[in-house]
Amino acid sequence: MSQHTNQYGQPVGQSLDWQERPYPQREIFIGQSCRLEPFSVATHADALFEAYSLAEDGRDWTYMFVGPFTHKQAWLESAAQMESSRDPLHFAVIDLQTERAVGSLALMRIEPQHGVIEVGHVAFSPLLKQTRMATEAHYLLMHYAFEQLGYRRYEWKCDSCNAPSRRAAARLGFRYEGEFRQAIVYKGRTRDTCWFSIIDSEWPQVKSGFERWLHSENFTPQGEQREKLEALRR
């Protein structure tokens, strides 16, 4: 990046013709294999509890701020908070084949004045994990943030101990930025937080990789991928 200086000869960031971006809304986003809907207790809570209950144990919730939910009432109380929240703004992931909710994720730490937004609270059930739908759900929210809202920076953060989350961030095209030590206390534990991001100048290449990967020609009749997302992004 070229060096910019002010009238005092001090190095400064590049000037921007910038206006505050819109706040994300409770919209519906439709893909080829899944649909994102604003989370609703009445519409999604029962199906999600059933989907989450398919897991053999509670390990999917180890690095989440909530859960695991062994009793439905505890889940419904958490779900009510999800529905009423504006930041995080939660979306349910709907399987287009079954029309059932199979997971959720959220836009959070929303800063329209800076054009910065984070994806988080990613809770994918066994019906959603490691599927084409899971990747498409992330693509749909990224597309919304960059192309409809015009945000400049899309973040991913996770517990430094959460190796699957770190791998997922890299696969989806996020760039590792560093580790914030002792950033959070949750579930009676200390957490170092890993930061990742995609910025708007990187989005075209990331988008192209997603769209090539999601194309029907990239999948066998049995639904197996022919090329990995990382390879198609390169």
Side-chain angles (χ1 to χ4, degrees):
M1 182 179 294
S2 60
Q3 185 70 59
H4 298 269
T5 58
N6 64 10
Q7 66 269 37
Y8 308 112
Q10 296 168 304
V12 295
Q14 183 176 356
S15 298
L16 290 177
D17 181 13
W18 174 257
Q19 294 180 346
E20 183 171 316
R21 293 308 187 243
Y23 201 91
Q25 301 299 310
R26 301 181 189 277
E27 299 188 33
I28 295 174
F29 310 104
I30 302 175
Q32 302 172 59
S33 60
C34 71
R35 180 175 68 250
L36 302 187
E37 297 178 352
F39 179 79
S40 161
V41 172
T43 306
H44 307 121
D46 286 347
L48 277 180
F49 184 75
E50 292 176 12
Y52 293 144
S53 297
L54 295 174
E56 295 181 359
D57 53 39
R59 70 184 60 206
D60 290 342
W61 302 95
T62 297
Y63 303 111
M64 304 286 286
F65 284 85
V66 298
F69 298 103
T70 55
H71 300 288
K72 190 172 185 180
Q73 185 57 40
W75 158 244
L76 291 175
E77 291 172 2
S78 180
Q81 295 179 358
M82 291 169 57
E83 182 178 27
S84 64
S85 172
R86 194 160 184 242
D87 185 356
L89 184 62
H90 294 269
F91 294 87
V93 183
I94 311 300
D95 182 339
L96 291 182
Q97 289 190 333
T98 65
E99 286 295 323
R100 301 275 290 177
V102 290
S104 67
L105 71 173
L107 293 173
M108 59 184 288
R109 294 171 62 96
I110 303 163
E111 300 182 358
Q113 70 273 30
H114 303 301
V116 177
I117 202 165
E118 178 183 344
V119 62
H121 295 275
V122 179
F124 288 178
S125 77
L127 298 175
L128 180 56
K129 292 170 64 176
Q130 298 182 332
T131 66
R132 185 179 179 185
M133 291 185 293
T135 298
E136 187 170 49
H138 280 293
Y139 166 73
L140 291 172
L141 269 196
M142 281 190 208
H143 190 280
Y144 178 52
F146 282 118
E147 302 215 0
Q148 292 182 241
L149 299 177
Y151 278 58
R152 306 173 60 229
R153 174 179 169 87
Y154 193 82
E155 298 178 335
W156 177 294
K157 301 185 184 77
C158 66
D159 191 315
S160 63
C161 296
N162 190 351
S165 184
R166 299 199 311 269
R167 290 194 297 268
R171 175 182 176 271
L172 293 170
F174 288 85
R175 183 177 297 184
Y176 177 68
E177 295 182 327
E179 186 173 308
F180 282 40
R181 299 177 301 161
Q182 297 188 10
I184 290 174
V185 176
Y186 73 144
K187 292 186 173 177
R189 307 190 304 261
T190 184
R191 176 176 123 168
D192 296 346
T193 298
C194 290
W195 285 51
F196 302 81
S197 74
I198 299 169
I199 58 175
D200 53 359
S201 62
E202 298 163 347
W203 168 241
Q205 182 176 4
V206 172
K207 174 187 175 183
S208 175
F210 272 120
E211 293 182 347
R212 294 171 67 190
W213 188 86
L214 290 166
H215 197 281
S216 59
E217 292 182 356
N218 189 45
F219 292 89
T220 68
Q222 294 74 35
E224 298 176 352
Q225 66 175 356
R226 300 184 190 275
E227 296 287 344
K228 292 184 177 181
L229 178 59
E230 302 94 312
L232 293 174
R233 186 166 57 247
R234 290 193 295 268

